[in-house]
Amino acid sequence: MNEAAQKYWDHYWKDREKPPSVTAWQFGDDPDQLAKLVMKGIKTATCSAHIFYELDQEPLPTTQDYSIILNSQNEPVAIIKTVEVSTLPMNEVSGEFAAAEGEGDRSYEYWWNVHEAFFTSELKEVGREFSEDLLVVCERFELIDVK
């Protein structure tokens, strides 16, 4: 976590006990636009490819996790809390979940096309190929604070 994110986190909690699990990160291809959707309450879900948790040896998210959302300049803009986590094949993600991601026209087709392109590109960088049954980690979150 960078210094600005740590200061934001500390300032938000002030004298209250801070939750132990917090990370700071940017959303995928367009961090600024996706962060704006979160701050407006439109984006309430996100997903990532399970394989990257394995390759990076990182634990899967849990409902105890808080995240500081960063913009493209690595500046903190919001705090979210994960409220639901599920892992399933990409081709089993529901249209309702796709809409909760809040992107584009919020249709399943838009969600699928954007995520297929993103995952194809990311997987290629690590010598893997996209498949329709790619395991994805689907997270729902609630907005805690906007900076």
Side-chain angles (χ1 to χ4, degrees), residues 94-139:
S94 70
E96 188 276 327
F97 184 88
E101 284 222 31
E103 300 171 37
D105 64 4
R106 301 178 76 179
S107 70
Y108 183 82
E109 181 179 10
Y110 179 90
W111 177 88
W112 180 272
N113 291 337
V114 167
H115 285 77
E116 179 181 20
F118 178 77
F119 290 142
T120 297
S121 173
E122 293 293 305
L123 289 164
K124 187 176 183 179
E125 289 183 20
V126 295
R128 305 289 173 108
E129 290 186 10
F130 175 80
S131 67
E132 291 187 357
D133 61 352
L134 172 74
L135 276 183
V136 292
V137 179
C138 297
E139 297 177 64

Short mmCIF file of all heavy atoms in Angstrom, two decimals, residues 94-139:
data_model
loop_
_atom_site.label_atom_id
_atom_site.label_comp_id
_atom_site.label_asym_id
_atom_site.label_seq_id
_atom_site.Cartn_x
_atom_site.Cartn_y
_atom_site.Cartn_z
N SER A 94 -23.78 -14.95 -14.08
CA SER A 94 -25.14 -14.55 -14.43
C SER A 94 -25.20 -13.16 -15.07
O SER A 94 -24.30 -12.33 -14.87
CB SER A 94 -26.01 -14.54 -13.17
OG SER A 94 -25.64 -13.46 -12.32
N GLY A 95 -26.26 -12.91 -15.78
CA GLY A 95 -26.50 -11.59 -16.34
C GLY A 95 -26.66 -10.55 -15.26
O GLY A 95 -26.25 -9.40 -15.42
N GLU A 96 -27.22 -10.94 -14.13
CA GLU A 96 -27.39 -10.02 -13.01
C GLU A 96 -26.03 -9.59 -12.46
O GLU A 96 -25.81 -8.43 -12.15
CB GLU A 96 -28.24 -10.68 -11.91
CG GLU A 96 -28.64 -9.74 -10.79
CD GLU A 96 -27.57 -9.61 -9.73
OE1 GLU A 96 -26.83 -10.59 -9.48
OE2 GLU A 96 -27.42 -8.50 -9.17
N PHE A 97 -25.10 -10.55 -12.36
CA PHE A 97 -23.75 -10.20 -11.89
C PHE A 97 -23.07 -9.28 -12.90
O PHE A 97 -22.43 -8.29 -12.52
CB PHE A 97 -22.89 -11.44 -11.65
CG PHE A 97 -21.55 -11.11 -11.08
CD1 PHE A 97 -21.37 -11.00 -9.71
CD2 PHE A 97 -20.46 -10.88 -11.91
CE1 PHE A 97 -20.14 -10.65 -9.18
CE2 PHE A 97 -19.22 -10.53 -11.39
CZ PHE A 97 -19.06 -10.42 -10.03
N ALA A 98 -23.20 -9.60 -14.17
CA ALA A 98 -22.61 -8.76 -15.22
C ALA A 98 -23.12 -7.32 -15.11
O ALA A 98 -22.35 -6.37 -15.22
CB ALA A 98 -22.90 -9.34 -16.60
N ALA A 99 -24.41 -7.16 -14.87
CA ALA A 99 -24.99 -5.82 -14.72
C ALA A 99 -24.43 -5.13 -13.48
O ALA A 99 -24.18 -3.92 -13.50
CB ALA A 99 -26.51 -5.90 -14.65
N ALA A 100 -24.20 -5.88 -12.41
CA ALA A 100 -23.67 -5.31 -11.18
C ALA A 100 -22.24 -4.79 -11.36
O ALA A 100 -21.80 -3.92 -10.62
CB ALA A 100 -23.72 -6.33 -10.04
N GLU A 101 -21.55 -5.30 -12.36
CA GLU A 101 -20.20 -4.77 -12.64
C GLU A 101 -20.29 -3.34 -13.17
O GLU A 101 -19.32 -2.61 -13.15
CB GLU A 101 -19.45 -5.67 -13.61
CG GLU A 101 -18.94 -6.92 -12.92
CD GLU A 101 -17.55 -7.32 -13.31
OE1 GLU A 101 -16.72 -6.44 -13.64
OE2 GLU A 101 -17.28 -8.53 -13.30
N GLY A 102 -21.47 -2.95 -13.67
CA GLY A 102 -21.74 -1.54 -13.97
C GLY A 102 -21.09 -0.95 -15.21
O GLY A 102 -21.11 0.26 -15.39
N GLU A 103 -20.54 -1.76 -16.06
CA GLU A 103 -19.78 -1.25 -17.20
C GLU A 103 -20.61 -1.22 -18.48
O GLU A 103 -21.53 -2.01 -18.65
CB GLU A 103 -18.54 -2.11 -17.41
CG GLU A 103 -17.62 -2.11 -16.19
CD GLU A 103 -16.50 -3.12 -16.29
OE1 GLU A 103 -15.97 -3.32 -17.40
OE2 GLU A 103 -16.15 -3.70 -15.25
N GLY A 104 -20.25 -0.28 -19.36
CA GLY A 104 -20.90 -0.19 -20.67
C GLY A 104 -22.40 -0.04 -20.53
O GLY A 104 -22.89 0.75 -19.73
N ASP A 105 -23.13 -0.82 -21.34
CA ASP A 105 -24.60 -0.76 -21.28
C ASP A 105 -25.17 -1.72 -20.23
O ASP A 105 -26.36 -1.92 -20.14
CB ASP A 105 -25.20 -1.03 -22.66
CG ASP A 105 -24.93 -2.44 -23.18
OD1 ASP A 105 -24.33 -3.26 -22.45
OD2 ASP A 105 -25.31 -2.72 -24.33
N ARG A 106 -24.28 -2.32 -19.45
CA ARG A 106 -24.61 -3.24 -18.36
C ARG A 106 -25.25 -4.54 -18.84
O ARG A 106 -25.80 -5.31 -18.04
CB ARG A 106 -25.46 -2.56 -17.29
CG ARG A 106 -24.73 -1.35 -16.70
CD ARG A 106 -25.52 -0.61 -15.69
NE ARG A 106 -25.52 -1.38 -14.42
CZ ARG A 106 -26.12 -0.98 -13.33
NH1 ARG A 106 -26.76 0.17 -13.32
NH2 ARG A 106 -26.09 -1.71 -12.24
N SER A 107 -25.11 -4.83 -20.12
CA SER A 107 -25.65 -6.08 -20.66
C SER A 107 -24.65 -7.22 -20.46
O SER A 107 -23.44 -6.99 -20.33
CB SER A 107 -25.96 -5.94 -22.15
OG SER A 107 -24.76 -5.84 -22.90
N TYR A 108 -25.16 -8.43 -20.49
CA TYR A 108 -24.29 -9.60 -20.40
C TYR A 108 -23.34 -9.65 -21.59
O TYR A 108 -22.16 -9.96 -21.44
CB TYR A 108 -25.14 -10.88 -20.32
CG TYR A 108 -24.29 -12.12 -20.15
CD1 TYR A 108 -23.83 -12.48 -18.88
CD2 TYR A 108 -23.93 -12.90 -21.24
CE1 TYR A 108 -23.03 -13.61 -18.71
CE2 TYR A 108 -23.14 -14.03 -21.08
CZ TYR A 108 -22.69 -14.38 -19.81
OH TYR A 108 -21.90 -15.49 -19.65
N GLU A 109 -23.87 -9.34 -22.77
CA GLU A 109 -23.04 -9.38 -23.97
C GLU A 109 -21.85 -8.41 -23.85
O GLU A 109 -20.72 -8.76 -24.17
CB GLU A 109 -23.87 -9.04 -25.22
CG GLU A 109 -23.07 -9.09 -26.51
CD GLU A 109 -23.91 -8.77 -27.73
OE1 GLU A 109 -25.07 -8.34 -27.59
OE2 GLU A 109 -23.37 -8.94 -28.84
N TYR A 110 -22.11 -7.20 -23.40
CA TYR A 110 -21.03 -6.22 -23.24
C TYR A 110 -20.02 -6.77 -22.22
O TYR A 110 -18.80 -6.75 -22.46
CB TYR A 110 -21.58 -4.87 -22.76
CG TYR A 110 -20.48 -3.85 -22.56
CD1 TYR A 110 -20.10 -3.02 -23.60
CD2 TYR A 110 -19.81 -3.75 -21.35
CE1 TYR A 110 -19.07 -2.10 -23.42
CE2 TYR A 110 -18.78 -2.84 -21.16
CZ TYR A 110 -18.42 -2.02 -22.21
OH TYR A 110 -17.39 -1.13 -22.04
N TRP A 111 -20.51 -7.24 -21.08
CA TRP A 111 -19.64 -7.78 -20.04
C TRP A 111 -18.77 -8.89 -20.60
O TRP A 111 -17.56 -8.91 -20.39
CB TRP A 111 -20.49 -8.28 -18.87
CG TRP A 111 -19.68 -8.92 -17.79
CD1 TRP A 111 -19.09 -8.30 -16.74
CD2 TRP A 111 -19.34 -10.31 -17.68
NE1 TRP A 111 -18.40 -9.21 -15.97
CE2 TRP A 111 -18.55 -10.46 -16.54
CE3 TRP A 111 -19.63 -11.45 -18.44
CZ2 TRP A 111 -18.04 -11.69 -16.13
CZ3 TRP A 111 -19.13 -12.67 -18.03
CH2 TRP A 111 -18.33 -12.79 -16.89
N TRP A 112 -19.41 -9.84 -21.30
CA TRP A 112 -18.65 -10.98 -21.83
C TRP A 112 -17.56 -10.50 -22.77
O TRP A 112 -16.39 -10.92 -22.65
CB TRP A 112 -19.57 -11.96 -22.55
CG TRP A 112 -18.77 -13.13 -23.08
CD1 TRP A 112 -18.15 -13.21 -24.29
CD2 TRP A 112 -18.46 -14.32 -22.38
NE1 TRP A 112 -17.47 -14.39 -24.40
CE2 TRP A 112 -17.64 -15.10 -23.24
CE3 TRP A 112 -18.78 -14.83 -21.12
CZ2 TRP A 112 -17.14 -16.35 -22.87
CZ3 TRP A 112 -18.29 -16.06 -20.76
CH2 TRP A 112 -17.48 -16.82 -21.63
N ASN A 113 -17.89 -9.66 -23.73
CA ASN A 113 -16.92 -9.22 -24.73
C ASN A 113 -15.73 -8.49 -24.10
O ASN A 113 -14.57 -8.73 -24.45
CB ASN A 113 -17.58 -8.33 -25.78
CG ASN A 113 -18.54 -9.11 -26.66
OD1 ASN A 113 -18.43 -10.33 -26.80
ND2 ASN A 113 -19.50 -8.42 -27.22
N VAL A 114 -16.00 -7.60 -23.15
CA VAL A 114 -14.93 -6.84 -22.50
C VAL A 114 -14.05 -7.77 -21.66
O VAL A 114 -12.82 -7.68 -21.71
CB VAL A 114 -15.53 -5.71 -21.62
CG1 VAL A 114 -14.49 -5.11 -20.69
CG2 VAL A 114 -16.12 -4.63 -22.51
N HIS A 115 -14.67 -8.68 -20.92
CA HIS A 115 -13.90 -9.57 -20.07
C HIS A 115 -13.14 -10.62 -20.88
O HIS A 115 -12.01 -10.97 -20.53
CB HIS A 115 -14.79 -10.21 -19.00
CG HIS A 115 -15.12 -9.25 -17.91
ND1 HIS A 115 -16.06 -8.26 -18.06
CD2 HIS A 115 -14.59 -9.08 -16.67
CE1 HIS A 115 -16.11 -7.54 -16.95
NE2 HIS A 115 -15.22 -8.02 -16.09
N GLU A 116 -13.73 -11.11 -21.95
CA GLU A 116 -13.02 -12.07 -22.80
C GLU A 116 -11.76 -11.41 -23.38
O GLU A 116 -10.67 -11.99 -23.35
CB GLU A 116 -13.91 -12.56 -23.94
CG GLU A 116 -13.20 -13.54 -24.86
CD GLU A 116 -14.06 -14.03 -26.00
OE1 GLU A 116 -15.07 -13.36 -26.34
OE2 GLU A 116 -13.73 -15.08 -26.56
N ALA A 117 -11.88 -10.19 -23.88
CA ALA A 117 -10.73 -9.48 -24.43
C ALA A 117 -9.67 -9.23 -23.36
O ALA A 117 -8.47 -9.44 -23.58
CB ALA A 117 -11.17 -8.17 -25.08
N PHE A 118 -10.10 -8.76 -22.19
CA PHE A 118 -9.17 -8.47 -21.10
C PHE A 118 -8.44 -9.74 -20.66
O PHE A 118 -7.21 -9.76 -20.55
CB PHE A 118 -9.91 -7.82 -19.93
CG PHE A 118 -9.02 -7.54 -18.76
CD1 PHE A 118 -8.15 -6.45 -18.78
CD2 PHE A 118 -9.05 -8.35 -17.63
CE1 PHE A 118 -7.33 -6.18 -17.70
CE2 PHE A 118 -8.22 -8.08 -16.55
CZ PHE A 118 -7.36 -7.00 -16.58
N PHE A 119 -9.19 -10.79 -20.37
CA PHE A 119 -8.57 -12.03 -19.90
C PHE A 119 -7.69 -12.66 -20.97
O PHE A 119 -6.62 -13.19 -20.65
CB PHE A 119 -9.62 -13.02 -19.40
CG PHE A 119 -10.29 -12.62 -18.13
CD1 PHE A 119 -11.65 -12.86 -17.93
CD2 PHE A 119 -9.60 -11.99 -17.10
CE1 PHE A 119 -12.28 -12.50 -16.74
CE2 PHE A 119 -10.22 -11.61 -15.92
CZ PHE A 119 -11.57 -11.88 -15.74
N THR A 120 -8.09 -12.60 -22.23
CA THR A 120 -7.26 -13.14 -23.31
C THR A 120 -5.90 -12.46 -23.32
O THR A 120 -4.86 -13.11 -23.40
CB THR A 120 -7.97 -12.97 -24.67
OG1 THR A 120 -9.19 -13.74 -24.64
CG2 THR A 120 -7.10 -13.44 -25.81
N SER A 121 -5.92 -11.14 -23.22
CA SER A 121 -4.67 -10.37 -23.22
C SER A 121 -3.81 -10.68 -21.99
O SER A 121 -2.61 -10.92 -22.10
CB SER A 121 -5.00 -8.88 -23.26
OG SER A 121 -3.84 -8.11 -23.11
N GLU A 122 -4.43 -10.68 -20.81
CA GLU A 122 -3.69 -10.94 -19.57
C GLU A 122 -3.12 -12.36 -19.54
O GLU A 122 -1.99 -12.57 -19.10
CB GLU A 122 -4.60 -10.71 -18.36
CG GLU A 122 -5.02 -9.27 -18.18
CD GLU A 122 -3.87 -8.36 -17.81
OE1 GLU A 122 -3.16 -8.66 -16.81
OE2 GLU A 122 -3.66 -7.35 -18.51
N LEU A 123 -3.91 -13.33 -19.99
CA LEU A 123 -3.45 -14.72 -20.00
C LEU A 123 -2.31 -14.93 -20.99
O LEU A 123 -1.38 -15.69 -20.71
CB LEU A 123 -4.62 -15.65 -20.31
CG LEU A 123 -5.66 -15.79 -19.20
CD1 LEU A 123 -6.94 -16.41 -19.74
CD2 LEU A 123 -5.10 -16.60 -18.04
N LYS A 124 -2.39 -14.25 -22.11
CA LYS A 124 -1.33 -14.37 -23.12
C LYS A 124 0.02 -13.95 -22.54
O LYS A 124 1.05 -14.55 -22.84
CB LYS A 124 -1.68 -13.51 -24.35
CG LYS A 124 -0.74 -13.70 -25.51
CD LYS A 124 -1.21 -12.91 -26.72
CE LYS A 124 -0.29 -13.17 -27.89
NZ LYS A 124 -0.72 -12.44 -29.08
N GLU A 125 0.01 -12.94 -21.68
CA GLU A 125 1.25 -12.45 -21.07
C GLU A 125 1.91 -13.48 -20.18
O GLU A 125 3.12 -13.40 -19.92
CB GLU A 125 0.97 -11.17 -20.27
CG GLU A 125 0.68 -9.97 -21.13
CD GLU A 125 0.48 -8.70 -20.31
OE1 GLU A 125 0.93 -8.65 -19.14
OE2 GLU A 125 -0.13 -7.77 -20.86
N VAL A 126 1.16 -14.45 -19.69
CA VAL A 126 1.73 -15.50 -18.84
C VAL A 126 1.73 -16.86 -19.54
O VAL A 126 1.84 -17.90 -18.89
CB VAL A 126 1.01 -15.58 -17.46
CG1 VAL A 126 1.23 -14.31 -16.67
CG2 VAL A 126 -0.47 -15.89 -17.62
N GLY A 127 1.58 -16.83 -20.86
CA GLY A 127 1.66 -18.05 -21.64
C GLY A 127 0.46 -18.97 -21.52
O GLY A 127 0.57 -20.17 -21.74
N ARG A 128 -0.70 -18.41 -21.21
CA ARG A 128 -1.93 -19.19 -21.08
C ARG A 128 -2.93 -18.73 -22.14
O ARG A 128 -2.80 -17.65 -22.71
CB ARG A 128 -2.56 -19.02 -19.70
CG ARG A 128 -1.65 -19.34 -18.54
CD ARG A 128 -1.38 -20.84 -18.42
NE ARG A 128 -0.39 -21.13 -17.41
CZ ARG A 128 -0.65 -21.69 -16.24
NH1 ARG A 128 -1.89 -21.99 -15.92
NH2 ARG A 128 0.32 -21.95 -15.39
N GLU A 129 -3.95 -19.56 -22.35
CA GLU A 129 -4.99 -19.22 -23.31
C GLU A 129 -6.34 -19.08 -22.62
O GLU A 129 -6.62 -19.78 -21.65
CB GLU A 129 -5.10 -20.28 -24.40
CG GLU A 129 -3.91 -20.30 -25.34
CD GLU A 129 -4.10 -21.27 -26.49
OE1 GLU A 129 -5.22 -21.81 -26.67
OE2 GLU A 129 -3.11 -21.51 -27.20
N PHE A 130 -7.16 -18.21 -23.16
CA PHE A 130 -8.52 -18.03 -22.66
C PHE A 130 -9.38 -19.22 -23.05
O PHE A 130 -9.25 -19.78 -24.13
CB PHE A 130 -9.13 -16.75 -23.26
CG PHE A 130 -10.57 -16.56 -22.89
CD1 PHE A 130 -10.93 -16.04 -21.66
CD2 PHE A 130 -11.58 -16.94 -23.77
CE1 PHE A 130 -12.26 -15.89 -21.31
CE2 PHE A 130 -12.91 -16.79 -23.43
CZ PHE A 130 -13.24 -16.26 -22.19
N SER A 131 -10.30 -19.60 -22.17
CA SER A 131 -11.34 -20.57 -22.49
C SER A 131 -12.64 -20.09 -21.86
O SER A 131 -12.62 -19.36 -20.86
CB SER A 131 -10.98 -21.97 -21.98
OG SER A 131 -10.98 -22.00 -20.57
N GLU A 132 -13.74 -20.48 -22.43
CA GLU A 132 -15.05 -20.03 -21.95
C GLU A 132 -15.33 -20.47 -20.52
O GLU A 132 -16.12 -19.84 -19.82
CB GLU A 132 -16.16 -20.49 -22.88
CG GLU A 132 -16.11 -19.81 -24.22
CD GLU A 132 -17.30 -20.14 -25.10
OE1 GLU A 132 -18.16 -20.96 -24.70
OE2 GLU A 132 -17.38 -19.57 -26.19
N ASP A 133 -14.69 -21.56 -20.09
CA ASP A 133 -14.91 -22.04 -18.72
C ASP A 133 -13.78 -21.64 -17.77
O ASP A 133 -13.60 -22.24 -16.72
CB ASP A 133 -15.16 -23.55 -18.71
CG ASP A 133 -13.98 -24.34 -19.24
OD1 ASP A 133 -13.01 -23.74 -19.77
OD2 ASP A 133 -14.02 -25.59 -19.11
N LEU A 134 -13.07 -20.58 -18.12
CA LEU A 134 -12.05 -20.01 -17.26
C LEU A 134 -12.64 -19.75 -15.88
O LEU A 134 -13.72 -19.13 -15.77
CB LEU A 134 -11.54 -18.69 -17.86
CG LEU A 134 -10.59 -17.86 -17.00
CD1 LEU A 134 -9.21 -18.51 -16.97
CD2 LEU A 134 -10.50 -16.44 -17.57
N LEU A 135 -12.00 -20.21 -14.83
CA LEU A 135 -12.50 -19.95 -13.48
C LEU A 135 -12.28 -18.48 -13.14
O LEU A 135 -11.19 -17.95 -13.30
CB LEU A 135 -11.76 -20.80 -12.45
CG LEU A 135 -12.25 -22.21 -12.23
CD1 LEU A 135 -11.44 -22.88 -11.11
CD2 LEU A 135 -13.73 -22.27 -11.91
N VAL A 136 -13.36 -17.85 -12.68
CA VAL A 136 -13.27 -16.46 -12.27
C VAL A 136 -13.73 -16.33 -10.81
O VAL A 136 -14.58 -17.08 -10.34
CB VAL A 136 -14.11 -15.51 -13.17
CG1 VAL A 136 -13.50 -15.43 -14.57
CG2 VAL A 136 -15.56 -15.94 -13.26
N VAL A 137 -13.10 -15.38 -10.13
CA VAL A 137 -13.46 -15.07 -8.75
C VAL A 137 -14.36 -13.84 -8.82
O VAL A 137 -13.93 -12.77 -9.24
CB VAL A 137 -12.21 -14.80 -7.90
CG1 VAL A 137 -12.60 -14.46 -6.47
CG2 VAL A 137 -11.27 -16.00 -7.94
N CYS A 138 -15.60 -14.03 -8.45
CA CYS A 138 -16.61 -12.96 -8.52
C CYS A 138 -16.81 -12.36 -7.13
O CYS A 138 -17.09 -13.09 -6.18
CB CYS A 138 -17.93 -13.51 -9.04
SG CYS A 138 -17.83 -14.15 -10.71
N GLU A 139 -16.64 -11.06 -7.05
CA GLU A 139 -16.78 -10.36 -5.77
C GLU A 139 -17.89 -9.32 -5.86
O GLU A 139 -17.95 -8.57 -6.82
CB GLU A 139 -15.50 -9.61 -5.42
CG GLU A 139 -14.29 -10.46 -5.20
CD GLU A 139 -13.07 -9.60 -4.94
OE1 GLU A 139 -13.05 -8.90 -3.90
OE2 GLU A 139 -12.14 -9.62 -5.78
#
